[in-house]
Amino acid sequence: MLVVSDEVREALAGRRPVVALESTIIAHGLPRPHNLRVAEELEEAVRQEGAVPATIAVLDGRPHIGLGEEQLERVAGEDGFRKLGHRDLPPAVAAKASGATTVSATALLASLAGIRVFATGGLGGVHREWTQTQDESADLGLLARTRITVVCSGVKSILDVPATLQRLETLGVTVAGYGTDRFPGFYLTDSGHPVDWTLTTPEEVAEVMRAQNALRLPESALIVAHPVPPEEQLDPGLHARVLAEALDACAAQGVTGQAVTPFLLDHLVRHTDGAALRANVAAVRGNVRLAARIATAWTRR
């Protein structure tokens, strides 16, 4: 069922480093034609660190692990591409649909293909006003039962960050800051909340991954929270002001449920003159490079 590219298959067979990359940021997260340039840049960044990129998407009902140039162009430029979480994979396959994979779908498909390291921007999490909506990203439950290392810049800052950290603890998902004892806030270097563990080198991350295997613990993920550099983050004051305005607009327009997150993210991008978008890309760029170094350290066993 999985279509694994020759490059990725050979790398896995030869125990060479591979990094999984999601495709939602390409199809839905960035404007055209900027999205294709960023997608190519991210893959090249992985290669420069000595690893093989494996961008993941579903094309005509077939999950692809690693995309060729024409396939990447298709994800970036084709209209009607769905956004697929892991729950959407069976109907998408049955209907021979095409779609970009979210964090949960990418993590699952990467794990099934034998890839251990995955780089993304920010995770989903517990939404604001959870007590009324019970709205929580599918990312959390999937990561609680999938053995993969996810390099990210925390969770999206529009979410309830402390509730998300508490939920991850309840689910038994290990969270470690990379070079920091603070949990990053996606666009922001520091969300204002601490982490219990700090790792400082790719080798230390790989040792934790090996310990997960040696202890035979439940198949949960390791989240490596890697902050965007302070000089590339969204100005915290601007972020706070625009987010407050976005929440007010959301309430005034009656936006609820799954529509809240894309509404808030779009508002942030449009009302920060693109600064939020630039911080997003900076975060992902740093994450894919770190993920490649971790994948390299992991293969040295």
Side-chain angles (χ1 to χ4, degrees):
M1 180 60 69
L2 299 184
V3 180
V4 183
S5 73
D6 290 342
E7 182 184 25
V8 172
R9 182 185 299 108
E10 290 170 5
L12 291 172
R15 296 171 66 88
R16 291 188 287 116
V18 178
V19 175
L21 303 173
E22 64 160 297
S23 50
T24 294
I25 188 175
I26 306 170
H28 301 285
L30 299 170
R32 301 174 184 169
H34 184 57
N35 58 344
L36 179 59
R37 291 197 298 270
V38 170
E40 293 170 339
E41 177 190 346
L42 296 179
E43 289 206 345
E44 179 58 25
V46 173
R47 296 185 194 282
Q48 288 175 357
E49 297 293 338
V52 172
T55 303
I56 295 177
V58 177
L59 302 175
D60 304 315
R62 302 291 300 278
H64 285 252
I65 315 298
L67 302 181
E69 183 177 348
E70 291 184 2
Q71 293 169 327
L72 202 61
E73 291 174 354
R74 182 179 171 189
V75 173
E78 187 173 301
D79 292 328
F81 245 66
R82 290 177 174 268
K83 183 185 290 187
L84 304 177
H86 70 281
R87 71 167 188 170
D88 303 307
L89 293 174
V93 168
K96 294 181 171 55
S98 297
T101 53
T102 65
V103 166
S104 68
T106 304
L108 176 59
L109 292 171
S111 179
L112 292 174
I115 300 172
R116 188 64 184 268
V117 182
F118 165 36
T120 186
L123 301 180
V126 176
H127 291 232
R128 293 168 184 259
E129 300 183 348
W130 181 89
T131 53
Q132 285 78 42
T133 65
Q134 302 288 292
D135 194 357
E136 174 184 310
S137 171
D139 295 354
L140 305 185
L142 190 281
L143 293 176
R145 55 182 185 273
T146 304
R147 182 55 54 79
I148 194 162
T149 295
V150 184
V151 182
C152 64
S153 295
V155 300
K156 296 178 177 65
S157 55
I158 61 172
L159 301 173
D160 188 329
V161 176
T164 300
L165 287 169
Q166 180 60 57
R167 184 69 174 134
L168 287 167
E169 180 181 344
T170 299
L171 291 169
V173 178
T174 301
V175 178
Y178 189 84
T180 180
D181 61 358
R182 310 294 293 175
F183 191 66
F186 190 40
Y187 300 122
L188 305 176
T189 300
D190 183 356
S191 70
H193 301 278
V195 291
D196 292 328
W197 295 97
T198 300
L199 302 171
T200 59
T201 66
E203 289 72 23
E204 287 182 0
V205 178
E207 282 303 309
V208 175
M209 295 163 63
R210 295 185 185 103
Q212 283 181 313
N213 286 2
L215 290 167
R216 299 184 181 180
L217 298 176
E219 296 286 314
S220 62
L222 167 62
I223 295 176
V224 178
H226 181 226
V228 63
E231 65 275 12
E232 294 186 295
Q233 70 173 333
L234 180 60
D235 177 76
L238 176 62
H239 175 273
R241 177 176 61 78
V242 175
L243 179 56
E245 294 170 353
L247 290 168
D248 288 343
C250 192
Q253 296 180 36
V255 179
T256 59
Q258 293 183 341
V260 170
T261 294
F263 179 91
L264 295 178
L265 290 174
D266 178 67
H267 191 99
L268 275 168
V269 170
R270 288 188 294 107
H271 291 81
T272 59
D273 294 325
L277 192 63
R278 291 191 292 275
N280 182 2
V281 173
V284 178
R285 186 186 298 117
N287 293 343
V288 300
R289 287 191 175 279
L290 175 58
R293 295 168 191 155
I294 291 170
T296 298
W298 168 247
T299 56
R300 293 176 185 149
R301 48 178 170 157

